[in-house]
């Protein structure tokens, strides 16, 4: 049995990502990998991403919907990092050659105009710091087989980060009813999921406040210009090569993501987190 610590877990997660290789969760062998330890590992791997030239551009939330929490058996949201290496431009296919077992979920996306620093951030104060709102989709991935993990595992793994796309159109926070903003998710033309902004912590602004307050525990804040992915509105859909996923929002518009070309190497498995 391997003897894991924060440094070796971080190194292994980055190696799995680079090699498109999944593994069993670390908590099978190291049950002390708890939430706080996971965040320390997450921050250490971010430092390595930045050292190799990536740019920090925002944060994402994971497991903000009840449906996702039930699916994964992890009953609390969490925060992770976004870098420019994760950006997928509209129209680009799923980067199958970089991911292990990608899945897609629709997101309401905030772009920040003001710094947002906790503790004590409320939904109202969080929304006052938002500059614009866009449609988006996250292509989640995981370095764990079958997306099986505990909270510490997935937090260390940067909340199953993979890639994300943000629609070009933006609306003002004053011009949209976020609670009732509806999305329909289609796989190869078949409707598979529907949801509304209310499925994200009751209101996506609550997720934003949660992120700011959580970051404050680590002495961090959400900075102006950052992108915030507020969490999957619905469960995620498998994104195989050659497939097609559409997320149709009632106000924000549509995003279509093609599955792209197959890549050799990693197996594709079912699961979801993000």
């Amino acid at each position: 049995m391997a003897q894991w610590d924060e440094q070796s877990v971080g190194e292994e997660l980055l190696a799995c990502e680079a090699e498109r290789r999944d593994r069993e969760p670390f908590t099978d062998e190291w049950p002390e990998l708890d939430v706080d330890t996971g965040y320390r590992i997450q921050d250490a791997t971010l430092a390595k991403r930045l050292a190799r030239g990536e740019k920090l551009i925002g944060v994402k939330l994971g497991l903000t919907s009840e449906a996702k929490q039930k699916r994964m058996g992890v009953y609390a949201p969490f925060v992770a990092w976004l870098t420019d290496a994760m950006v997928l431009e509209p129209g680009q296919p799923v980067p199958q050659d970089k991911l292990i077992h990608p899945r897609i979920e629709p997101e309401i996306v905030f772009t920040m105009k003001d710094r947002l620093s906790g503790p004590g951030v409320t939904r109202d104060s969080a929304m006052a710091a938002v500059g614009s709102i866009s449609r988006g989709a996250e292509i989640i991935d995981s370095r764990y087989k079958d997306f099986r993990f505990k909270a510490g595992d997935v937090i260390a793994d940067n909340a199953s980060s993979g890639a994300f796309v943000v629609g070009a159109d933006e609306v003002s926070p004053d011009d949209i009813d976020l609670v009732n903003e509806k999305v329909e998710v289609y796989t190869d033309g078949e409707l598979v999921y529907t949801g509304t902004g209310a499925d994200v912590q009751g209101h996506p602004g609550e997720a934003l406040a949660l992120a700011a307050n959580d970051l404050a525990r680590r002495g961090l804040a959400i900075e102006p210009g950052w992108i915030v992915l507020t969490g999957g509105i619905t469960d995620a859909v498998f994104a195989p090569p050659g497939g097609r996923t559409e997320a149709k929002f009632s106000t924000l518009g549509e995003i279509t993501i093609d599955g792209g070309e197959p890549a050799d190497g990693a197996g594709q498995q079912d699961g979801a987190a993000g």
Side-chain angles (χ1 to χ4, degrees):
M1 181 178 293
Q3 297 297 311
W4 296 106
D5 58 22
E6 293 178 22
Q7 180 177 341
S8 59
V9 167
E11 291 173 350
E12 171 71 354
L13 285 169
L14 289 175
C16 286
E17 181 179 318
E19 299 163 14
R20 297 181 59 243
R21 166 173 60 84
D22 58 9
R23 55 161 295 117
E24 301 299 336
F26 296 100
T27 50
D28 285 357
E29 301 175 6
W30 186 32
E32 293 80 12
L33 175 50
D34 58 11
V35 167
D36 289 338
T37 304
Y39 276 126
R40 288 195 297 271
I41 294 168
Q42 185 190 107
D43 290 345
T45 57
L46 172 67
K48 292 183 178 181
R49 294 179 192 276
L50 300 182
R52 69 191 187 194
E54 296 180 39
K55 180 182 177 182
L56 178 62
I57 60 172
V59 295
K60 56 167 278 187
L61 286 109
L63 299 189
T64 51
S65 72
E66 184 177 352
K68 293 297 295 296
Q69 291 177 8
K70 287 182 177 179
R71 162 68 81 92
M72 304 316 302
V74 178
Y75 293 94
F78 39 76
V79 184
W81 300 112
L82 298 176
T83 76
D84 59 346
M86 303 171 190
V87 173
L88 193 69
E89 297 297 331
Q92 286 186 304
V94 174
Q96 299 284 352
D97 60 337
K98 296 180 179 180
L99 304 177
I100 302 168
H101 34 208
R103 290 174 65 95
I104 298 172
E105 57 189 26
E107 305 246 356
I108 290 172
V109 183
F110 296 149
T111 300
M112 306 303 296
K113 65 180 175 65
D114 298 322
R115 191 171 193 264
L116 189 61
S117 178
V121 174
T122 65
R123 182 178 81 187
D124 288 344
S125 61
M127 291 305 302
V130 174
S132 61
I133 301 172
S134 307
R135 64 189 181 274
E138 186 178 9
I139 304 170
I140 59 172
D141 201 18
S142 178
R143 273 45 72 177
Y144 302 116
K145 293 182 183 294
D146 300 315
F147 282 75
R148 182 178 71 86
F149 46 67
K150 292 183 178 178
D153 295 299
V154 68
I155 290 170
D157 191 32
N158 202 47
S160 303
S161 61
F164 69 93
V165 59
V166 179
D169 301 324
E170 299 177 338
V171 302
S172 165
D174 296 329
D175 294 335
I176 184 171
D177 178 358
L178 285 175
V179 170
N180 293 306
E181 178 69 6
K182 184 179 180 180
V183 67
E184 297 177 335
V185 181
Y186 294 81
T187 297
D188 297 329
E190 178 183 356
L191 177 63
V192 290
Y193 293 123
T194 63
T196 69
D199 292 315
V200 180
Q201 297 288 289
H203 186 294
E206 296 284 3
L208 178 60
L210 183 153
N213 291 327
D214 190 86
L215 287 170
R217 295 192 308 111
R218 295 145 69 187
L220 304 169
I222 297 173
E223 301 296 341
W226 276 13
I227 294 168
V228 179
L229 302 184
T230 57
I233 300 172
T234 71
D235 206 348
V237 297
F238 184 41
R244 182 180 179 90
T245 301
E246 298 167 280
K248 299 182 179 181
F249 293 82
S250 55
T251 301
L252 295 171
E254 301 180 11
I255 283 184
T256 299
I257 303 176
D258 291 326
E261 299 296 324
D264 296 330
Q268 306 273 354
Q269 294 139 11
D270 193 25

